[in-house]
Amino acid sequence: RASATIVPKPKPCSSSSNSNHSEHSPSTMGRSTPAGRKPRKAVKASQHAKAKKPAPPPPDLERDRSHVGRRVSKYFGRDLYGGVVKKFVQRHRLWKIEYEDGDSEEMDWNDLSNAIELHERKSGKKKKGG
């Protein structure tokens, strides 16, 4: 008896004709997709690395937190109320303000900067760095 060499059979193609093997040739390997499947988008290795890393904090996070404790002022009708920035909510970029009368609210950056500026004008204090 002679030893037999086992040769694996080629896998059948998903197309109806097995005579055309060009879709599995080395030059087109990975370019065509079997019928019914959507082609995958090519993703660079650097994109995979970026997707796995958590997003870095915004560059102004420390500045945003530094406003906690600052005094602010705001008009409600004709009355001017003073308050203090008590908390910074990073997720929504909001600052919680507690007023002297016990009320509170959250302000976005535009409202907060206006309230800080109004307080500095009314109290006669200068801005930082100015």
Side-chain angles (χ1 to χ4, degrees):
R1 245 183 188 195
S3 64
T5 305
I6 300 173
V7 177
K9 292 182 181 180
K11 293 182 181 180
C13 294
S14 61
S15 63
S16 59
S17 171
N18 285 344
S19 62
N20 183 3
H21 294 288
S22 65
E23 71 174 314
H24 295 293
S25 68
S27 64
T28 60
M29 189 64 80
R31 291 188 195 163
S32 63
T33 58
R37 288 190 184 174
K38 292 182 180 179
R40 289 184 178 181
K41 291 183 178 179
V43 179
K44 294 180 181 179
S46 62
Q47 289 174 326
H48 282 294
K50 288 180 184 175
K52 293 180 182 179
K53 292 181 182 178
D60 58 352
L61 181 61
E62 289 304 314
R63 186 191 70 197
D64 288 348
R65 288 182 178 157
S66 72
H67 295 299
V68 174
R70 288 190 77 172
R71 305 250 337 133
V72 297
S73 296
K74 182 176 177 180
Y75 280 104
F76 289 93
R78 292 181 169 207
D79 298 324
L80 182 66
Y81 288 87
V84 177
V85 180
K86 290 292 186 177
K87 180 179 174 182
F88 172 64
V89 181
Q90 179 182 348
R91 182 175 184 178
H92 302 288
R93 197 169 184 233
L94 296 172
W95 289 264
K96 182 177 180 181
I97 311 301
E98 287 186 8
Y99 293 98
E100 294 167 347
D101 67 351
D103 286 346
S104 66
E105 71 173 321
E106 289 183 329
M107 292 184 170
D108 62 14
W109 171 246
N110 290 332
D111 291 337
L112 179 67
S113 61
N114 289 334
I116 291 170
E117 183 180 323
L118 179 61
H119 178 76
E120 290 170 349
R121 260 187 308 166
K122 293 295 181 176
S123 67
K125 293 183 180 179
K126 290 186 176 181
K127 292 182 182 179
K128 286 184 178 180

